[in-house]
Amino acid sequence: MQVSDFANRSRRSFLGSTGTLSAVAVAMLAGREALAQGMGGSVSQDISTLNVALGLEYQAIGAYQLGAESGLLQKPVLAVAVLFQSQHKTHAEALIATIEKLGGKPVMAKPLSDYATELQASTLKNQTDVLSLATRLELGATNAYLGVIPSFSNLELAKVSARIAADETMHYTALLGALGRDLPTKALSFGA
């Protein structure tokens, strides 16, 4: 399996499960517990979905760690990669807090060596390879979070999902710039 196949399959899996993420979970994820009170939804399904998202955030953290430790990233790019990793850590912390508030048990991060195997880190030979992997992962994350938005009737909840997707889109476009690649030329190129 190619690196891109693995990343795309993981994101598709997340998209398939996030279609059932309830408004309660998103409200709690956004730190709006008062809004979450009184909302319906399957808590166990929410916990499961949030754990899938948490697993993907761990994967992103691992990917950036592998890139940082590879010695393949030049200083300005390395600093940006570490910044993006810190943002994924913030996402993970928010997911953990939400899962625990819902009474669930957050999944644990895998050892870094597992992510290295899954992402075929041994095939990364230069900075372009590392950035290309990160770009594919960030695009998948953008589309995954955008995929959740239509399931909400509450505009406040849709806004929270859009903000997370915006973080991922920022990462994706910055990585395209670092690779010297063109921005998407078609309108509505995300979330399709």
PDB file of all heavy atoms in Angstrom, residues 142-183:
ATOM      1  N   THR A 142      -8.648  18.315   6.010  1.00  0.00           N
ATOM      2  CA  THR A 142      -9.551  19.400   5.586  1.00  0.00           C
ATOM      3  C   THR A 142     -10.870  18.822   5.111  1.00  0.00           C
ATOM      4  O   THR A 142     -11.951  19.235   5.559  1.00  0.00           O
ATOM      5  CB  THR A 142      -8.899  20.218   4.451  1.00  0.00           C
ATOM      6  OG1 THR A 142      -7.710  20.822   4.934  1.00  0.00           O
ATOM      7  CG2 THR A 142      -9.848  21.282   3.922  1.00  0.00           C
ATOM      8  N   ASN A 143     -10.794  17.866   4.211  1.00  0.00           N
ATOM      9  CA  ASN A 143     -12.012  17.281   3.650  1.00  0.00           C
ATOM     10  C   ASN A 143     -12.811  16.521   4.706  1.00  0.00           C
ATOM     11  O   ASN A 143     -14.045  16.528   4.672  1.00  0.00           O
ATOM     12  CB  ASN A 143     -11.668  16.389   2.464  1.00  0.00           C
ATOM     13  CG  ASN A 143     -11.198  17.209   1.277  1.00  0.00           C
ATOM     14  OD1 ASN A 143     -11.633  18.342   1.075  1.00  0.00           O
ATOM     15  ND2 ASN A 143     -10.296  16.652   0.498  1.00  0.00           N
ATOM     16  N   ALA A 144     -12.117  15.883   5.643  1.00  0.00           N
ATOM     17  CA  ALA A 144     -12.823  15.143   6.690  1.00  0.00           C
ATOM     18  C   ALA A 144     -13.628  16.092   7.586  1.00  0.00           C
ATOM     19  O   ALA A 144     -14.804  15.846   7.858  1.00  0.00           O
ATOM     20  CB  ALA A 144     -11.829  14.347   7.528  1.00  0.00           C
ATOM     21  N   TYR A 145     -12.997  17.161   8.035  1.00  0.00           N
ATOM     22  CA  TYR A 145     -13.722  18.092   8.904  1.00  0.00           C
ATOM     23  C   TYR A 145     -14.831  18.819   8.143  1.00  0.00           C
ATOM     24  O   TYR A 145     -15.903  19.062   8.688  1.00  0.00           O
ATOM     25  CB  TYR A 145     -12.760  19.078   9.559  1.00  0.00           C
ATOM     26  CG  TYR A 145     -12.023  18.465  10.739  1.00  0.00           C
ATOM     27  CD1 TYR A 145     -10.676  18.175  10.677  1.00  0.00           C
ATOM     28  CD2 TYR A 145     -12.699  18.152  11.911  1.00  0.00           C
ATOM     29  CE1 TYR A 145     -10.006  17.595  11.747  1.00  0.00           C
ATOM     30  CE2 TYR A 145     -12.045  17.573  12.990  1.00  0.00           C
ATOM     31  CZ  TYR A 145     -10.703  17.293  12.902  1.00  0.00           C
ATOM     32  OH  TYR A 145     -10.052  16.715  13.965  1.00  0.00           O
ATOM     33  N   LEU A 146     -14.593  19.152   6.886  1.00  0.00           N
ATOM     34  CA  LEU A 146     -15.662  19.777   6.088  1.00  0.00           C
ATOM     35  C   LEU A 146     -16.829  18.812   5.908  1.00  0.00           C
ATOM     36  O   LEU A 146     -17.985  19.241   5.847  1.00  0.00           O
ATOM     37  CB  LEU A 146     -15.130  20.213   4.721  1.00  0.00           C
ATOM     38  CG  LEU A 146     -14.225  21.438   4.720  1.00  0.00           C
ATOM     39  CD1 LEU A 146     -13.644  21.671   3.325  1.00  0.00           C
ATOM     40  CD2 LEU A 146     -14.965  22.680   5.198  1.00  0.00           C
ATOM     41  N   GLY A 147     -16.531  17.532   5.857  1.00  0.00           N
ATOM     42  CA  GLY A 147     -17.578  16.535   5.672  1.00  0.00           C
ATOM     43  C   GLY A 147     -18.555  16.467   6.825  1.00  0.00           C
ATOM     44  O   GLY A 147     -19.682  15.988   6.658  1.00  0.00           O
ATOM     45  N   VAL A 148     -18.151  16.951   7.996  1.00  0.00           N
ATOM     46  CA  VAL A 148     -19.026  16.931   9.169  1.00  0.00           C
ATOM     47  C   VAL A 148     -20.047  18.056   9.139  1.00  0.00           C
ATOM     48  O   VAL A 148     -21.164  17.916   9.635  1.00  0.00           O
ATOM     49  CB  VAL A 148     -18.173  17.038  10.458  1.00  0.00           C
ATOM     50  CG1 VAL A 148     -19.046  17.174  11.685  1.00  0.00           C
ATOM     51  CG2 VAL A 148     -17.257  15.852  10.576  1.00  0.00           C
ATOM     52  N   ILE A 149     -19.686  19.169   8.543  1.00  0.00           N
ATOM     53  CA  ILE A 149     -20.511  20.378   8.625  1.00  0.00           C
ATOM     54  C   ILE A 149     -21.959  20.173   8.185  1.00  0.00           C
ATOM     55  O   ILE A 149     -22.873  20.625   8.883  1.00  0.00           O
ATOM     56  CB  ILE A 149     -19.842  21.533   7.855  1.00  0.00           C
ATOM     57  CG1 ILE A 149     -18.546  21.932   8.572  1.00  0.00           C
ATOM     58  CG2 ILE A 149     -20.778  22.744   7.733  1.00  0.00           C
ATOM     59  CD1 ILE A 149     -17.707  22.947   7.824  1.00  0.00           C
ATOM     60  N   PRO A 150     -22.234  19.504   7.078  1.00  0.00           N
ATOM     61  CA  PRO A 150     -23.642  19.387   6.654  1.00  0.00           C
ATOM     62  C   PRO A 150     -24.541  18.642   7.639  1.00  0.00           C
ATOM     63  O   PRO A 150     -25.764  18.734   7.532  1.00  0.00           O
ATOM     64  CB  PRO A 150     -23.546  18.614   5.335  1.00  0.00           C
ATOM     65  CG  PRO A 150     -22.164  18.850   4.849  1.00  0.00           C
ATOM     66  CD  PRO A 150     -21.325  18.952   6.083  1.00  0.00           C
ATOM     67  N   SER A 151     -23.966  17.927   8.586  1.00  0.00           N
ATOM     68  CA  SER A 151     -24.807  17.176   9.524  1.00  0.00           C
ATOM     69  C   SER A 151     -25.386  18.048  10.624  1.00  0.00           C
ATOM     70  O   SER A 151     -26.193  17.582  11.419  1.00  0.00           O
ATOM     71  CB  SER A 151     -24.003  16.018  10.131  1.00  0.00           C
ATOM     72  OG  SER A 151     -22.952  16.512  10.934  1.00  0.00           O
ATOM     73  N   PHE A 152     -25.046  19.322  10.676  1.00  0.00           N
ATOM     74  CA  PHE A 152     -25.525  20.203  11.737  1.00  0.00           C
ATOM     75  C   PHE A 152     -26.595  21.162  11.244  1.00  0.00           C
ATOM     76  O   PHE A 152     -26.440  21.800  10.214  1.00  0.00           O
ATOM     77  CB  PHE A 152     -24.364  21.017  12.320  1.00  0.00           C
ATOM     78  CG  PHE A 152     -23.268  20.164  12.848  1.00  0.00           C
ATOM     79  CD1 PHE A 152     -22.021  20.177  12.264  1.00  0.00           C
ATOM     80  CD2 PHE A 152     -23.486  19.318  13.932  1.00  0.00           C
ATOM     81  CE1 PHE A 152     -21.010  19.372  12.738  1.00  0.00           C
ATOM     82  CE2 PHE A 152     -22.481  18.515  14.409  1.00  0.00           C
ATOM     83  CZ  PHE A 152     -21.235  18.545  13.808  1.00  0.00           C
ATOM     84  N   SER A 153     -27.645  21.268  12.029  1.00  0.00           N
ATOM     85  CA  SER A 153     -28.657  22.275  11.738  1.00  0.00           C
ATOM     86  C   SER A 153     -28.379  23.551  12.518  1.00  0.00           C
ATOM     87  O   SER A 153     -28.844  24.620  12.156  1.00  0.00           O
ATOM     88  CB  SER A 153     -30.054  21.748  12.081  1.00  0.00           C
ATOM     89  OG  SER A 153     -30.102  21.391  13.456  1.00  0.00           O
ATOM     90  N   ASN A 154     -27.608  23.448  13.585  1.00  0.00           N
ATOM     91  CA  ASN A 154     -27.244  24.591  14.406  1.00  0.00           C
ATOM     92  C   ASN A 154     -26.032  25.292  13.773  1.00  0.00           C
ATOM     93  O   ASN A 154     -24.971  24.698  13.624  1.00  0.00           O
ATOM     94  CB  ASN A 154     -26.917  24.112  15.832  1.00  0.00           C
ATOM     95  CG  ASN A 154     -26.569  25.257  16.750  1.00  0.00           C
ATOM     96  OD1 ASN A 154     -25.708  26.076  16.441  1.00  0.00           O
ATOM     97  ND2 ASN A 154     -27.237  25.291  17.885  1.00  0.00           N
ATOM     98  N   LEU A 155     -26.188  26.545  13.418  1.00  0.00           N
ATOM     99  CA  LEU A 155     -25.121  27.267  12.743  1.00  0.00           C
ATOM    100  C   LEU A 155     -23.889  27.450  13.626  1.00  0.00           C
ATOM    101  O   LEU A 155     -22.768  27.509  13.124  1.00  0.00           O
ATOM    102  CB  LEU A 155     -25.625  28.627  12.251  1.00  0.00           C
ATOM    103  CG  LEU A 155     -26.690  28.571  11.152  1.00  0.00           C
ATOM    104  CD1 LEU A 155     -27.138  29.984  10.763  1.00  0.00           C
ATOM    105  CD2 LEU A 155     -26.170  27.828   9.936  1.00  0.00           C
ATOM    106  N   GLU A 156     -24.077  27.532  14.926  1.00  0.00           N
ATOM    107  CA  GLU A 156     -22.935  27.673  15.829  1.00  0.00           C
ATOM    108  C   GLU A 156     -22.052  26.425  15.784  1.00  0.00           C
ATOM    109  O   GLU A 156     -20.824  26.514  15.792  1.00  0.00           O
ATOM    110  CB  GLU A 156     -23.422  27.927  17.258  1.00  0.00           C
ATOM    111  CG  GLU A 156     -22.336  28.349  18.211  1.00  0.00           C
ATOM    112  CD  GLU A 156     -21.682  29.679  17.859  1.00  0.00           C
ATOM    113  OE1 GLU A 156     -22.353  30.565  17.300  1.00  0.00           O
ATOM    114  OE2 GLU A 156     -20.495  29.818  18.145  1.00  0.00           O
ATOM    115  N   LEU A 157     -22.690  25.285  15.732  1.00  0.00           N
ATOM    116  CA  LEU A 157     -21.933  24.040  15.662  1.00  0.00           C
ATOM    117  C   LEU A 157     -21.218  23.896  14.321  1.00  0.00           C
ATOM    118  O   LEU A 157     -20.079  23.432  14.259  1.00  0.00           O
ATOM    119  CB  LEU A 157     -22.858  22.850  15.904  1.00  0.00           C
ATOM    120  CG  LEU A 157     -23.577  22.864  17.255  1.00  0.00           C
ATOM    121  CD1 LEU A 157     -24.504  21.685  17.363  1.00  0.00           C
ATOM    122  CD2 LEU A 157     -22.583  22.896  18.392  1.00  0.00           C
ATOM    123  N   ALA A 158     -21.890  24.298  13.270  1.00  0.00           N
ATOM    124  CA  ALA A 158     -21.257  24.255  11.944  1.00  0.00           C
ATOM    125  C   ALA A 158     -20.041  25.178  11.915  1.00  0.00           C
ATOM    126  O   ALA A 158     -19.022  24.868  11.292  1.00  0.00           O
ATOM    127  CB  ALA A 158     -22.265  24.655  10.882  1.00  0.00           C
ATOM    128  N   LYS A 159     -20.138  26.297  12.634  1.00  0.00           N
ATOM    129  CA  LYS A 159     -19.017  27.240  12.692  1.00  0.00           C
ATOM    130  C   LYS A 159     -17.793  26.604  13.349  1.00  0.00           C
ATOM    131  O   LYS A 159     -16.659  26.791  12.883  1.00  0.00           O
ATOM    132  CB  LYS A 159     -19.440  28.491  13.469  1.00  0.00           C
ATOM    133  CG  LYS A 159     -18.365  29.532  13.583  1.00  0.00           C
ATOM    134  CD  LYS A 159     -18.890  30.740  14.379  1.00  0.00           C
ATOM    135  CE  LYS A 159     -17.771  31.735  14.662  1.00  0.00           C
ATOM    136  NZ  LYS A 159     -18.271  32.852  15.487  1.00  0.00           N
ATOM    137  N   VAL A 160     -18.006  25.838  14.403  1.00  0.00           N
ATOM    138  CA  VAL A 160     -16.891  25.165  15.081  1.00  0.00           C
ATOM    139  C   VAL A 160     -16.191  24.203  14.122  1.00  0.00           C
ATOM    140  O   VAL A 160     -14.958  24.188  14.022  1.00  0.00           O
ATOM    141  CB  VAL A 160     -17.390  24.418  16.330  1.00  0.00           C
ATOM    142  CG1 VAL A 160     -16.278  23.559  16.924  1.00  0.00           C
ATOM    143  CG2 VAL A 160     -17.913  25.400  17.350  1.00  0.00           C
ATOM    144  N   SER A 161     -16.957  23.428  13.419  1.00  0.00           N
ATOM    145  CA  SER A 161     -16.367  22.491  12.454  1.00  0.00           C
ATOM    146  C   SER A 161     -15.617  23.236  11.360  1.00  0.00           C
ATOM    147  O   SER A 161     -14.544  22.807  10.930  1.00  0.00           O
ATOM    148  CB  SER A 161     -17.459  21.624  11.829  1.00  0.00           C
ATOM    149  OG  SER A 161     -18.027  20.798  12.794  1.00  0.00           O
ATOM    150  N   ALA A 162     -16.186  24.333  10.932  1.00  0.00           N
ATOM    151  CA  ALA A 162     -15.529  25.124   9.887  1.00  0.00           C
ATOM    152  C   ALA A 162     -14.208  25.705  10.380  1.00  0.00           C
ATOM    153  O   ALA A 162     -13.232  25.772   9.628  1.00  0.00           O
ATOM    154  CB  ALA A 162     -16.462  26.231   9.428  1.00  0.00           C
ATOM    155  N   ARG A 163     -14.163  26.107  11.648  1.00  0.00           N
ATOM    156  CA  ARG A 163     -12.912  26.646  12.197  1.00  0.00           C
ATOM    157  C   ARG A 163     -11.814  25.587  12.223  1.00  0.00           C
ATOM    158  O   ARG A 163     -10.657  25.873  11.935  1.00  0.00           O
ATOM    159  CB  ARG A 163     -13.160  27.201  13.600  1.00  0.00           C
ATOM    160  CG  ARG A 163     -14.019  28.463  13.578  1.00  0.00           C
ATOM    161  CD  ARG A 163     -14.245  29.024  14.954  1.00  0.00           C
ATOM    162  NE  ARG A 163     -12.981  29.516  15.485  1.00  0.00           N
ATOM    163  CZ  ARG A 163     -12.758  29.711  16.774  1.00  0.00           C
ATOM    164  NH1 ARG A 163     -13.693  29.453  17.673  1.00  0.00           N
ATOM    165  NH2 ARG A 163     -11.606  30.175  17.181  1.00  0.00           N
ATOM    166  N   ILE A 164     -12.179  24.361  12.593  1.00  0.00           N
ATOM    167  CA  ILE A 164     -11.185  23.278  12.586  1.00  0.00           C
ATOM    168  C   ILE A 164     -10.726  23.018  11.150  1.00  0.00           C
ATOM    169  O   ILE A 164      -9.527  22.870  10.884  1.00  0.00           O
ATOM    170  CB  ILE A 164     -11.757  22.002  13.229  1.00  0.00           C
ATOM    171  CG1 ILE A 164     -12.048  22.250  14.717  1.00  0.00           C
ATOM    172  CG2 ILE A 164     -10.799  20.826  13.049  1.00  0.00           C
ATOM    173  CD1 ILE A 164     -12.812  21.131  15.390  1.00  0.00           C
ATOM    174  N   ALA A 165     -11.681  22.987  10.234  1.00  0.00           N
ATOM    175  CA  ALA A 165     -11.327  22.777   8.822  1.00  0.00           C
ATOM    176  C   ALA A 165     -10.429  23.901   8.316  1.00  0.00           C
ATOM    177  O   ALA A 165      -9.520  23.668   7.505  1.00  0.00           O
ATOM    178  CB  ALA A 165     -12.589  22.678   7.975  1.00  0.00           C
ATOM    179  N   ALA A 166     -10.649  25.119   8.806  1.00  0.00           N
ATOM    180  CA  ALA A 166      -9.818  26.254   8.385  1.00  0.00           C
ATOM    181  C   ALA A 166      -8.362  26.048   8.818  1.00  0.00           C
ATOM    182  O   ALA A 166      -7.434  26.367   8.061  1.00  0.00           O
ATOM    183  CB  ALA A 166     -10.370  27.552   8.955  1.00  0.00           C
ATOM    184  N   ASP A 167      -8.158  25.526  10.036  1.00  0.00           N
ATOM    185  CA  ASP A 167      -6.788  25.216  10.477  1.00  0.00           C
ATOM    186  C   ASP A 167      -6.125  24.257   9.501  1.00  0.00           C
ATOM    187  O   ASP A 167      -4.976  24.446   9.094  1.00  0.00           O
ATOM    188  CB  ASP A 167      -6.794  24.548  11.863  1.00  0.00           C
ATOM    189  CG  ASP A 167      -6.909  25.536  13.004  1.00  0.00           C
ATOM    190  OD1 ASP A 167      -6.867  26.754  12.763  1.00  0.00           O
ATOM    191  OD2 ASP A 167      -7.046  25.061  14.158  1.00  0.00           O
ATOM    192  N   GLU A 168      -6.857  23.212   9.151  1.00  0.00           N
ATOM    193  CA  GLU A 168      -6.295  22.191   8.259  1.00  0.00           C
ATOM    194  C   GLU A 168      -6.039  22.768   6.866  1.00  0.00           C
ATOM    195  O   GLU A 168      -5.026  22.445   6.232  1.00  0.00           O
ATOM    196  CB  GLU A 168      -7.238  20.984   8.164  1.00  0.00           C
ATOM    197  CG  GLU A 168      -7.665  20.387   9.492  1.00  0.00           C
ATOM    198  CD  GLU A 168      -6.531  19.856  10.362  1.00  0.00           C
ATOM    199  OE1 GLU A 168      -5.379  19.823   9.907  1.00  0.00           O
ATOM    200  OE2 GLU A 168      -6.795  19.473  11.502  1.00  0.00           O
ATOM    201  N   THR A 169      -6.934  23.623   6.396  1.00  0.00           N
ATOM    202  CA  THR A 169      -6.755  24.247   5.077  1.00  0.00           C
ATOM    203  C   THR A 169      -5.525  25.152   5.077  1.00  0.00           C
ATOM    204  O   THR A 169      -4.759  25.186   4.106  1.00  0.00           O
ATOM    205  CB  THR A 169      -8.009  25.039   4.679  1.00  0.00           C
ATOM    206  OG1 THR A 169      -9.143  24.178   4.743  1.00  0.00           O
ATOM    207  CG2 THR A 169      -7.890  25.598   3.274  1.00  0.00           C
ATOM    208  N   MET A 170      -5.339  25.897   6.193  1.00  0.00           N
ATOM    209  CA  MET A 170      -4.154  26.747   6.310  1.00  0.00           C
ATOM    210  C   MET A 170      -2.888  25.894   6.208  1.00  0.00           C
ATOM    211  O   MET A 170      -1.943  26.240   5.493  1.00  0.00           O
ATOM    212  CB  MET A 170      -4.165  27.500   7.637  1.00  0.00           C
ATOM    213  CG  MET A 170      -2.900  28.312   7.887  1.00  0.00           C
ATOM    214  SD  MET A 170      -2.797  29.022   9.523  1.00  0.00           S
ATOM    215  CE  MET A 170      -2.745  27.570  10.572  1.00  0.00           C
ATOM    216  N   HIS A 171      -2.877  24.769   6.910  1.00  0.00           N
ATOM    217  CA  HIS A 171      -1.715  23.885   6.843  1.00  0.00           C
ATOM    218  C   HIS A 171      -1.483  23.427   5.400  1.00  0.00           C
ATOM    219  O   HIS A 171      -0.351  23.455   4.906  1.00  0.00           O
ATOM    220  CB  HIS A 171      -1.911  22.651   7.726  1.00  0.00           C
ATOM    221  CG  HIS A 171      -2.047  22.957   9.191  1.00  0.00           C
ATOM    222  ND1 HIS A 171      -2.412  21.998  10.110  1.00  0.00           N
ATOM    223  CD2 HIS A 171      -1.869  24.091   9.921  1.00  0.00           C
ATOM    224  CE1 HIS A 171      -2.450  22.523  11.314  1.00  0.00           C
ATOM    225  NE2 HIS A 171      -2.136  23.800  11.228  1.00  0.00           N
ATOM    226  N   TYR A 172      -2.552  23.000   4.755  1.00  0.00           N
ATOM    227  CA  TYR A 172      -2.451  22.475   3.391  1.00  0.00           C
ATOM    228  C   TYR A 172      -1.888  23.532   2.432  1.00  0.00           C
ATOM    229  O   TYR A 172      -0.953  23.261   1.680  1.00  0.00           O
ATOM    230  CB  TYR A 172      -3.831  21.991   2.921  1.00  0.00           C
ATOM    231  CG  TYR A 172      -3.888  21.604   1.471  1.00  0.00           C
ATOM    232  CD1 TYR A 172      -3.257  20.458   1.012  1.00  0.00           C
ATOM    233  CD2 TYR A 172      -4.576  22.396   0.553  1.00  0.00           C
ATOM    234  CE1 TYR A 172      -3.301  20.108  -0.329  1.00  0.00           C
ATOM    235  CE2 TYR A 172      -4.625  22.054  -0.783  1.00  0.00           C
ATOM    236  CZ  TYR A 172      -3.993  20.906  -1.226  1.00  0.00           C
ATOM    237  OH  TYR A 172      -4.037  20.566  -2.553  1.00  0.00           O
ATOM    238  N   THR A 173      -2.440  24.737   2.473  1.00  0.00           N
ATOM    239  CA  THR A 173      -2.001  25.762   1.524  1.00  0.00           C
ATOM    240  C   THR A 173      -0.570  26.227   1.816  1.00  0.00           C
ATOM    241  O   THR A 173       0.191  26.507   0.892  1.00  0.00           O
ATOM    242  CB  THR A 173      -2.974  26.955   1.499  1.00  0.00           C
ATOM    243  OG1 THR A 173      -3.160  27.460   2.822  1.00  0.00           O
ATOM    244  CG2 THR A 173      -4.307  26.556   0.925  1.00  0.00           C
ATOM    245  N   ALA A 174      -0.211  26.299   3.094  1.00  0.00           N
ATOM    246  CA  ALA A 174       1.167  26.673   3.435  1.00  0.00           C
ATOM    247  C   ALA A 174       2.148  25.615   2.928  1.00  0.00           C
ATOM    248  O   ALA A 174       3.225  25.944   2.421  1.00  0.00           O
ATOM    249  CB  ALA A 174       1.311  26.850   4.942  1.00  0.00           C
ATOM    250  N   LEU A 175       1.764  24.362   3.052  1.00  0.00           N
ATOM    251  CA  LEU A 175       2.630  23.284   2.569  1.00  0.00           C
ATOM    252  C   LEU A 175       2.756  23.312   1.053  1.00  0.00           C
ATOM    253  O   LEU A 175       3.835  23.049   0.505  1.00  0.00           O
ATOM    254  CB  LEU A 175       2.103  21.928   3.054  1.00  0.00           C
ATOM    255  CG  LEU A 175       2.247  21.694   4.564  1.00  0.00           C
ATOM    256  CD1 LEU A 175       1.423  20.498   5.012  1.00  0.00           C
ATOM    257  CD2 LEU A 175       3.715  21.515   4.950  1.00  0.00           C
ATOM    258  N   LEU A 176       1.655  23.629   0.364  1.00  0.00           N
ATOM    259  CA  LEU A 176       1.738  23.776  -1.096  1.00  0.00           C
ATOM    260  C   LEU A 176       2.759  24.855  -1.447  1.00  0.00           C
ATOM    261  O   LEU A 176       3.566  24.685  -2.371  1.00  0.00           O
ATOM    262  CB  LEU A 176       0.373  24.161  -1.682  1.00  0.00           C
ATOM    263  CG  LEU A 176      -0.681  23.077  -1.820  1.00  0.00           C
ATOM    264  CD1 LEU A 176      -1.966  23.670  -2.416  1.00  0.00           C
ATOM    265  CD2 LEU A 176      -0.197  21.923  -2.683  1.00  0.00           C
ATOM    266  N   GLY A 177       2.727  25.964  -0.716  1.00  0.00           N
ATOM    267  CA  GLY A 177       3.680  27.046  -0.968  1.00  0.00           C
ATOM    268  C   GLY A 177       5.109  26.602  -0.716  1.00  0.00           C
ATOM    269  O   GLY A 177       6.015  26.928  -1.492  1.00  0.00           O
ATOM    270  N   ALA A 178       5.315  25.858   0.358  1.00  0.00           N
ATOM    271  CA  ALA A 178       6.667  25.371   0.670  1.00  0.00           C
ATOM    272  C   ALA A 178       7.180  24.425  -0.409  1.00  0.00           C
ATOM    273  O   ALA A 178       8.381  24.361  -0.668  1.00  0.00           O
ATOM    274  CB  ALA A 178       6.665  24.671   2.028  1.00  0.00           C
ATOM    275  N   LEU A 179       6.261  23.709  -1.047  1.00  0.00           N
ATOM    276  CA  LEU A 179       6.640  22.798  -2.122  1.00  0.00           C
ATOM    277  C   LEU A 179       6.784  23.517  -3.463  1.00  0.00           C
ATOM    278  O   LEU A 179       7.213  22.910  -4.442  1.00  0.00           O
ATOM    279  CB  LEU A 179       5.585  21.684  -2.261  1.00  0.00           C
ATOM    280  CG  LEU A 179       5.633  20.593  -1.196  1.00  0.00           C
ATOM    281  CD1 LEU A 179       4.356  19.756  -1.212  1.00  0.00           C
ATOM    282  CD2 LEU A 179       6.858  19.704  -1.397  1.00  0.00           C
ATOM    283  N   GLY A 180       6.372  24.795  -3.490  1.00  0.00           N
ATOM    284  CA  GLY A 180       6.419  25.538  -4.743  1.00  0.00           C
ATOM    285  C   GLY A 180       5.338  25.114  -5.716  1.00  0.00           C
ATOM    286  O   GLY A 180       5.452  25.334  -6.917  1.00  0.00           O
ATOM    287  N   ARG A 181       4.291  24.506  -5.175  1.00  0.00           N
ATOM    288  CA  ARG A 181       3.178  24.064  -6.032  1.00  0.00           C
ATOM    289  C   ARG A 181       2.119  25.149  -6.109  1.00  0.00           C
ATOM    290  O   ARG A 181       1.967  25.964  -5.192  1.00  0.00           O
ATOM    291  CB  ARG A 181       2.554  22.773  -5.482  1.00  0.00           C
ATOM    292  CG  ARG A 181       3.505  21.603  -5.535  1.00  0.00           C
ATOM    293  CD  ARG A 181       2.847  20.340  -5.034  1.00  0.00           C
ATOM    294  NE  ARG A 181       3.809  19.248  -4.970  1.00  0.00           N
ATOM    295  CZ  ARG A 181       3.625  18.140  -4.286  1.00  0.00           C
ATOM    296  NH1 ARG A 181       2.502  17.946  -3.613  1.00  0.00           N
ATOM    297  NH2 ARG A 181       4.549  17.206  -4.277  1.00  0.00           N
ATOM    298  N   ASP A 182       1.362  25.121  -7.187  1.00  0.00           N
ATOM    299  CA  ASP A 182       0.278  26.075  -7.379  1.00  0.00           C
ATOM    300  C   ASP A 182      -0.870  25.804  -6.420  1.00  0.00           C
ATOM    301  O   ASP A 182      -1.106  24.654  -6.018  1.00  0.00           O
ATOM    302  CB  ASP A 182      -0.262  25.981  -8.811  1.00  0.00           C
ATOM    303  CG  ASP A 182       0.773  26.446  -9.837  1.00  0.00           C
ATOM    304  OD1 ASP A 182       1.637  27.276  -9.475  1.00  0.00           O
ATOM    305  OD2 ASP A 182       0.699  25.969 -10.978  1.00  0.00           O
ATOM    306  N   LEU A 183      -1.571  26.861  -6.080  1.00  0.00           N
ATOM    307  CA  LEU A 183      -2.795  26.711  -5.298  1.00  0.00           C
ATOM    308  C   LEU A 183      -3.852  26.059  -6.176  1.00  0.00           C
ATOM    309  O   LEU A 183      -3.756  26.100  -7.407  1.00  0.00           O
ATOM    310  CB  LEU A 183      -3.286  28.084  -4.839  1.00  0.00           C
ATOM    311  CG  LEU A 183      -2.363  28.823  -3.868  1.00  0.00           C
ATOM    312  CD1 LEU A 183      -2.897  30.230  -3.616  1.00  0.00           C
ATOM    313  CD2 LEU A 183      -2.256  28.064  -2.555  1.00  0.00           C
TER     314      LEU A 183
END
